[in-house]
Amino acid sequence: MNRRDFIKRGVLSGLLFSPVTYVLSSCGGGGGTVITMPPGMGDMPPEPAPSQPVGDKNPLLVPGDEELLGFFSPTGEFTFTTKTIQHQIPGVGGRTTLMVYEVSSGGKTYVNPIVRLRKGDRFKPTLKNELDEETVIHWHGLRVDFNNDGHPYFSVDRGEELRYDFTIIDRSGSFWYHPHPHGRTGYQAYFGLASMMIIEDEDEDSLRNTLELELGKTDIPLIIQDKSFNQDGSLYYQQRLMGFYGDTPVVNLTPNSYLEVSPRIYRFRLLNGSNARLFRLSIKNGSELVPFHLIGVEGGLLSSPIRVTEILLAPGERADILVDFGSFTDGTLLKLYNSRHGITTAMGGGVGDSEFEVMEFRVKGSSTYDRKVPSELSTLSPIPTSGVFTRVINISMFQRRFRIDGKVWDTNNPLKDYGYNINNRTVEVWEFINNTGMYHPMHLHGYQFQVLQRINSPQTIRNLAIDGNGRMATDYGWKDTVIVAPFERVKIAIDFTHNFGYEQIYLFHCHILEHHDLGMMVNFRVRA
Ligand code: C2O
Ligand code: CU
Ligand code: CU
């Protein structure tokens, strides 16, 4: 299992692409126009497409008591030390140098711990940077004030520390933490700096009781990423204009993995922690799609479960799902599968659109489990939007950079005013209009929002739509990241109310980390 094998298999299966010139028909008008990709798009080094892994599968690293991805429930102050370590990733030729968050607490050492907290808890970590470059931690999805949010303005150099202190006000859900320094987020996250945070509350307690779920046993975080390994085990990375796509899918840092499951209901907390790849996920029994329930997204549980057979999951998004293995007999092999989505157009270079197995589930033994998926999970109320201001936000590419309303991040002025100034206690509708051939998962700091409507969606999204507003199941509930497909228009509602007592400066950016590092990011301000 090494990079060369993957490339070789990619060539054999004919999945490589190296197109430079396209005939445009799907790029909005001008059918039949021939364009040549700007340098850096069409002439990118070919992307080795992940293909079916061969050889022995590796047991999935199930978060629990291990050092790596162990569950950590903080009490009081503690320190996240960012450092590099050597780690043997199963199936990879040599040891991999990773950048990680290390925590020592109660006589234990954790590496990239999955942090467990309860709504209302006070969280007081210190970041101690032992990397050779600046960094800062951002708590993706948590509603945290500017001073604690991990804005690049607060980045610290090697040897320096940054203290955080805030109270968890969010509902139960699966959040995550990752770096956010200027221009290096993609690099640092790719090299390992990323993990999950699990927030719990009463809704969570009742779901767990109803389904007899146990974290680390039948309630399992699955952090899905794509990496490329060199033959010596080191990671290969390039900051590409369209985003970096790895040739090896990993789940909880395990390539080519399997998990043994009992014939009962499992909960999986999926996080797309990839730099750029959009997954179209399903569970397959042979060629048959196995239905499952979506029960939560970024901002926590939905009001009720939604039965689906496929979901799209863009970088930054989370999907909390229930899979019932109860009807499968001992020995059944199921796949978590990524299908082609066809969403990136030729104008977007068609990047990152390949088909492969993400991991395998092996049904084992028998079970007397008889719990049923509850019909209610939580109470959510829609943000009232009648008569509110709509802010139209154009996504474009100009001079080889993806832009938000024509703007790009100013690295010399991290607190720059980009003209998004919003009053506290107001609701706005934001309408994204994507004028590019590439999808962009748009993410806001500081708030969870609601998706209202999709217009002019590509076929895959239209097929997954479950209502008259063109929304997919994963558009329901409280969101912090939303996919905006090529030439699509997406409307969201945001309630900008905050109680932090001073003006908040938050980031708004694309979660394709290379787009973001190359400037597809702005500040917005919410007055005191
Ligand atoms: Cu994952 Cu600025 O965020
Ligand atoms: Cu964020
Ligand atoms: Cu983007």
Side-chain angles (χ1 to χ4, degrees):
M1 170 100 177
N2 58 40
R3 183 173 162 74
R4 208 220 251 135
D5 281 351
F6 269 97
I7 294 172
K8 222 170 19 197
R9 268 178 277 128
V11 172
L12 289 174
S13 54
L15 290 172
L16 286 181
F17 74 95
S18 52
V20 174
T21 304
Y22 300 96
V23 176
L24 298 183
S25 48
S26 57
C27 287
T33 317
V34 175
I35 60 151
T36 301
M37 287 291 134
M41 293 173 73
D43 66 353
M44 287 189 309
E47 173 204 347
S51 45
Q52 297 316 317
V54 289
D56 288 346
K57 290 188 193 286
N58 309 301
L60 177 77
L61 192 165
V62 177
D65 307 326
E66 307 258 335
E67 265 196 2
L68 185 60
L69 299 176
F71 292 120
F72 170 54
S73 306
T75 47
E77 297 180 29
F78 69 98
T79 300
F80 283 105
T81 304
T82 51
K83 58 193 286 193
T84 55
I85 60 161
Q86 299 286 313
H87 180 72
Q88 182 61 55
I89 293 177
V92 170
R95 281 155 73 84
T96 306
T97 303
L98 294 175
M99 289 180 169
V100 296
Y101 297 106
E102 196 179 85
V103 171
S104 296
S105 174
K108 271 187 89 169
T109 299
Y110 301 85
V111 174
N112 286 358
I114 295 190
V115 179
R116 282 181 78 173
L117 291 161
R118 209 153 164 101
K119 182 176 177 176
D121 279 355
R122 179 111 173 245
F123 187 51
K124 294 178 80 171
T126 295
L127 162 65
K128 183 167 193 289
N129 184 11
E130 288 184 3
L131 300 172
D132 289 327
E133 55 183 285
E134 59 164 26
T135 196
V136 65
I137 309 178
H138 165 59
W139 322 100
H140 179 129
L142 292 182
R143 289 175 297 150
V144 163
D145 68 306
F146 168 66
N147 288 327
N148 284 292
D149 187 49
H151 189 285
Y153 174 75
F154 293 100
S155 294
V156 291
D157 282 323
R158 184 185 173 93
E160 292 179 350
E161 293 188 353
L162 176 66
R163 286 170 188 279
Y164 296 86
D165 183 354
F166 59 92
T167 299
I168 306 293
I169 60 172
D170 290 277
R171 309 164 66 228
S172 56
S174 311
F175 300 83
W176 63 306
Y177 60 102
H178 64 72
H180 226 303
H182 289 297
R184 291 288 280 181
T185 300
Y187 185 92
Q188 292 184 6
Y190 180 80
F191 278 86
L193 290 174
S195 189
M196 199 179 268
M197 302 181 81
I198 292 177
I199 310 297
E200 293 164 13
D201 66 6
E202 307 78 50
D203 289 338
E204 171 65 32
D205 299 342
S206 81
L207 175 68
R208 192 169 288 170
N209 290 336
T210 307
L211 290 178
E212 270 179 359
L213 295 171
E214 198 185 334
L215 199 54
K217 297 273 183 315
T218 50
D219 173 350
I220 302 176
L222 299 178
I223 302 173
I224 306 172
Q225 297 169 311
D226 55 340
K227 312 263 184 216
S228 289
F229 296 95
N230 296 310
Q231 284 193 56
D232 63 1
S234 59
L235 282 164
Y236 170 83
Y237 180 74
Q238 272 194 334
Q239 189 185 59
R240 293 182 183 149
L241 181 63
M242 299 304 281
F244 181 81
Y245 296 85
D247 59 18
T248 306
V250 299
V251 181
N252 300 342
L253 284 173
T254 318
N256 197 11
S257 61
Y258 73 89
L259 174 71
E260 279 183 358
V261 293
S262 309
R264 55 157 285 160
I265 293 175
Y266 279 70
R267 176 195 200 170
F268 298 109
R269 300 169 184 261
L270 312 181
L271 158 64
N272 183 347
S274 303
N275 281 35
R277 189 178 292 278
L278 169 61
F279 288 91
R280 176 181 172 185
L281 297 172
S282 59
I283 294 165
K284 283 189 167 185
N285 179 19
S287 60
E288 214 176 288
L289 297 182
V290 176
F292 58 95
H293 284 96
L294 180 76
I295 58 165
V297 292
E298 294 91 88
L301 295 171
L302 302 178
S303 52
S304 41
I306 305 176
R307 193 172 181 267
V308 292
T309 50
E310 278 191 321
I311 54 168
L312 289 179
L313 202 66
E317 284 189 304
R318 281 87 74 202
D320 198 341
I321 65 170
L322 296 177
V323 182
D324 190 353
F325 296 107
S327 60
F328 299 106
T329 50
D330 182 83
T332 309
L333 301 182
L334 302 147
K335 314 273 186 205
L336 178 62
Y337 201 79
N338 173 57
S339 306
R340 297 191 137 209
H341 52 70
I343 286 178
T344 325
T345 68
M347 242 170 123
V351 291
D353 195 4
S354 42
E355 172 160 329
F356 52 87
E357 175 185 325
V358 178
M359 63 170 287
E360 183 177 82
F361 300 107
R362 299 181 177 173
V363 182
K364 224 186 151 201
S366 60
S367 167
T368 54
Y369 182 88
D370 61 353
R371 305 297 175 104
K372 294 275 169 299
V373 174
S375 58
E376 280 177 23
L377 300 164
S378 186
T379 316
L380 276 71
S381 32
I383 298 175
T385 54
S386 82
V388 309
F389 171 66
T390 297
R391 200 179 282 271
V392 174
I393 296 185
N394 275 287
I395 296 166
S396 61
M397 170 173 267
F398 178 62
Q399 293 179 333
R400 299 195 56 205
R401 297 176 86 176
F402 287 113
R403 290 162 189 265
I404 296 172
D405 285 330
K407 297 175 260 252
V408 288
W409 182 251
D410 183 349
T411 46
N412 297 316
N413 184 4
L415 300 185
K416 182 171 170 161
D417 183 345
Y418 290 86
Y420 303 95
N421 294 295
I422 298 148
N423 286 323
N424 195 354
R425 293 170 227 290
T426 50
V427 171
E428 289 191 4
V429 169
W430 284 20
E431 176 173 353
F432 303 117
I433 304 181
N434 186 352
N435 304 301
T436 76
M438 180 73 194
Y439 57 84
H440 303 281
M442 301 307 290
H443 168 58
L444 264 79
H445 287 213
Y447 297 94
Q448 292 284 337
F449 54 78
Q450 292 175 356
V451 179
L452 300 174
Q453 195 182 13
R454 292 183 176 275
I455 302 164
N456 198 32
S457 305
Q459 192 62 49
T460 309
I461 291 183
R462 275 184 280 149
N463 291 345
L464 294 176
I466 56 167
D467 66 25
N469 292 317
R471 291 177 296 186
M472 303 178 282
T474 46
D475 291 325
Y476 278 60
W478 289 103
K479 301 277 295 170
D480 62 44
T481 307
V482 64
I483 305 171
V484 186
F487 308 103
E488 197 181 29
R489 289 166 56 195
V490 179
K491 290 187 196 177
I492 65 170
I494 314 157
D495 179 348
F496 286 101
T497 301
H498 72 79
N499 297 309
F500 296 127
Y502 66 105
E503 185 185 59
Q504 301 300 301
I505 304 177
Y506 288 125
L507 296 168
F508 161 48
H509 62 87
C510 175
H511 222 285
I512 290 186
L513 297 179
E514 290 73 25
H515 296 186
H516 146 190
D517 283 338
L518 293 167
M520 195 179 182
M521 174 160 81
V522 291
N523 289 313
F524 65 97
R525 290 163 187 261
V526 186
R527 297 185 181 94

